Structures are given as C-alpha cells and as structure tokens.
Amino acid sequence: VQASNNYERRGISYIMADDEPKSLGRCSVFTYGVGHMLNDITAACWYTYLLLYLTDIGLSPSNAATVTLTGQFADAFMTIIAGELIDRFGHLKLWHGMGCLLVAVSFTSLFGGCLPCKILGSDSPIVQTAGYCISAVIFCSGWSCTQISHMSMVNGVTLNPTSRVACVSCRNAFTMIASLILYAIALFIFNKKTSSSQVEIKNQYQFMAYMSIFIGAVFVIIFQLGTKEPSLKQESDGKRAAASWRYWLKKVPYYQVLSIYVLTRVVTNVSQTFLAVYVINDLRMSPSSKALVPAIIYLTSFITSVLLQELKWSGERLKAFFSAGGLLWLFCGTSVIFLPINMNAFMYVLSVLIGIANALMMVTAIGMESELVDKDLDGSAFVYGSLGFIDKVLCGVFLYFLESYERKDPVACDPAYPCFSVTRFSLGFIPGISSLIGVIIAFFIRSHTSHPKTSTEPLLA
C-alpha cells in the first residue's frame, strides 16, 4: 500500500489487485505531450527544407539525395537498436535526454554550415557531402533515441487506457503545433528581401536552426522536470519474445496494415520533401510561399484531427475515412501534375485539401495499427517498430532516387501550360498512386469492430 501511495504522489498510475488504475492529471499529460517537440520541429525542418537548403548552397541534387538517404537509413536501423537497448537497460529519461542532446548539436551543423569543412579547410563537394552525411547520421540517431524512449514511456507512466489515449493525443497535437511554429519562423525569415549569396542563404537557415533548437529545448526541460521516470517491470523470456514476432508474421492483417501505414508515410514524407521546391521552381511563387503553403497544410491537418477525435469510431469507419483521404489525395496529386504557373494561386486551395487528406489518412492509418494490436499486447512493440523500420527505409530509398534526378535550377516553361519535372512528378504522381494503392488494400481488410466507440478523452486533454 505504501508503494502504491508513492507512485500516486509521483503522478504515475499503479494498479492494485482490486482497483482500477487511476488516471493522470492534466499537468502530467501536458508535460509528457511536449516531450517530443524538439524532434517534431527539427523533423519538419528536415523534410521541408533540407533538400532546398543543400542545393541552394551548392550541392548537386545527387549529393543532396545521398545526405538524406544516409540519414533515413541511420534513423531506420537506430530505431531497432535503440528499442533493444532501452528494453534491456531502461532509464527512459536518460535515453530521451541523450537523444535530444545529439539532435541539438548535429542540427546546428546540418543547417548551420559544414563543421568538417571548417575543420579541414575545404569546401569540395566530396568533403561537404561527407560532412553533411556525418551530421545527418548523428541527427537521425539522436532523433530515434528520443522517439523510441518517448513512445515507450507512455506505457510506464500510466496503466489507465484513457490516460494513455490522452498522452498520445496531446503529443500528436504538439507535433502539429511544432510544425506550425517552424513555418512561422520560416515565413518571417523568407519574407525578408535578402541577396541570393550563399552566405545570406546559410545565415537564414542558421537562424531558423537556432530558433528551432531553442524552442524545442524549452519543452525538453519542461518534460524532464515534469515527468517522472517510470518504473517498468523487466521481463527476460526470450522464447516468448520470439513467439510474438512469429505470431505477427503469420497474420495476413499485419501485412495489410503494414502496407497501408507505409504507403501513408510515403504520401506525407515525399509530399513534404518536395513541396517547397515545387512552389518555388515549378510554380514560380514568392519566397514566402515555401513557408505559407506548408503552414496552411499543417493548420488544416490540426483542425481536421481535432474534429476527427469527436467522431464515433469502428473498423469500418476507419476504412471509410482512410479511403476518403486517399481519394482526396489522388485528386490533389492530379491537380499538382497539371497546375500551370499562371494558376499558381490555386495552390493555396490545394494546400487546404492536402491538409485534410493528410489528417484523414494518418489518423485512420494509426487507428488501424491500434485495431490490429487490439488486446494482443505481447509483441505490440514489434508491430510498431517493424512498421517504423520499413517506413523509414522505403521513404529513404524513394527520396534518394527522386532527388537524384532533381534539377538544381527551374526549367524554362510556358506559364499557360504545365511542364514536366521530377519535382512535379514526385509531389503529384508518387503520393497520388500511393494513396490509390492504399485505398485498394483497405477495401480488403476485415474489421475487428463493427460498432462505433466514442473516444472518452478529448484530443487536447
């Protein structure tokens, strides 16, 4: 009983024989939810501006693609390594803090200038590419440590299912808030009239990197001070763990949900990566648009996600809303392919539709993961980890090949007619066809639940 009281005073639910686990307070939910802000704000910068930044400072598209592919592979493999080490040794907050430190240090080198180039006194393409690859590996490794430790912590800080939903929902909400903060900073920076010299370009991105790290670090401190280290029960039954992943690999729904989740991540990551280049090079929009257009997408996604939380959910509704989002993205992708320069203002309308489609697909894809796991908690970490690993590897390969054929300068084009470019193909065709395949796969999934269940906790609890 004394141990139970100690856990309750620390804000951590503790289950007893005859009692239901108590829920977390709003303050505990908030301090947990902001713990991923540094990861989120730097990830938004990575996917939206890294390609544009590297090519602006002189790297060829193929070298820039090498940097992103190196980072994606480091992220994918570190996801598995970090998960194994965290399960083995615990100390989740320590792993979280170390990951955040690696993210902050490497991010300044990634967007603040090539540190190895300064040490070696050389700006050759080989040295620059190698230097940025090193920064990308450190950044993505730290990012994975922070991500895995933060995701794993929710099962230790509370045993109450409603509180777990509240923690995850709060984290998702702050993910969108982090992206909006990043795009607000970018809008302020790119709206200023500056010269196109590499020095000015580096100064812009360096300021954005420092501001992102400062804001993210504030929330990391809030998380570290406000969230207690969970006391997790360690189990070392190797046979049971082996049986769990074999159990999942024999299930057809596992492969169906895996395909839907990975295709959804391809849609969101590929579109986010090529969006800024598309509005500048293909549509000839103003520099501020590379911040304004992504901001509209994330704001719309945030509003849509809040509205979706109020609905009653079932397996059939998950499939229906995912299909709606996929078909909406198919329309947006087609519009992107055929949108001419003299109609570039229509991109703001497409931004709203893309934001809605992203929210519909992402929320329902994660919901299908939860429905797949259901009550089979043994091996659930394998489900989330394996999906994340395949998602990062596949997105990395996609981005590498697409960016390798990217043109550094805009092509000459008649404003009244759309011109073919790798950027236009990447932003329009790849997400569009991926969403269509996802809709087809979703049609054949058999749902576990047929009766809608209302969420018992609001999104922003």
Side-chain angles (χ1 to χ4, degrees), residues 245 247-259 372 382-384 386-387 390:
W245 63 260
Y247 164 76
W248 289 112
L249 292 179
K250 292 178 182 178
K251 293 173 69 75
V252 173
Y254 167 78
Y255 296 99
Q256 293 174 319
V257 173
L258 182 150
S259 301
L372 172 67
F382 168 77
V383 174
Y384 292 106
S386 60
L387 266 60
I390 296 174

Side-chain angles (χ1 to χ4, degrees), residues 14 18 215 255 350 354:
Y14 183 87
D18 300 322
I215 294 172
Y255 296 99
L350 285 180
I354 290 174

Side-chain angles (χ1 to χ4, degrees), residues 67 109-110 114-117 125-137:
V67 174
S109 178
L110 194 60
C114 175
L115 184 59
C117 298
I126 296 178
V127 175
Q128 280 190 317
T129 303
Y132 284 115
C133 282
I134 294 172
S135 297
V137 169

Side-chain angles (χ1 to χ4, degrees), residues 256 260 263 322-323 327 433-445:
Q256 293 174 319
I260 286 178
L263 288 169
F322 177 85
S323 299
L327 294 176
I433 197 67
S434 297
S435 60
L436 178 60
I437 296 173
V439 170
I440 295 173
I441 295 174
F443 178 79
F444 292 98
I445 293 182

Side-chain angles (χ1 to χ4, degrees), residues 180-201:
L180 290 173
I181 291 174
L182 184 278
Y183 295 132
I185 296 172
L187 184 62
F188 170 77
I189 294 173
F190 297 132
N191 202 33
K192 291 184 175 181
K193 292 183 178 180
T194 58
S195 65
S196 57
S197 67
Q198 288 191 10
V199 175
E200 289 294 336
I201 292 173

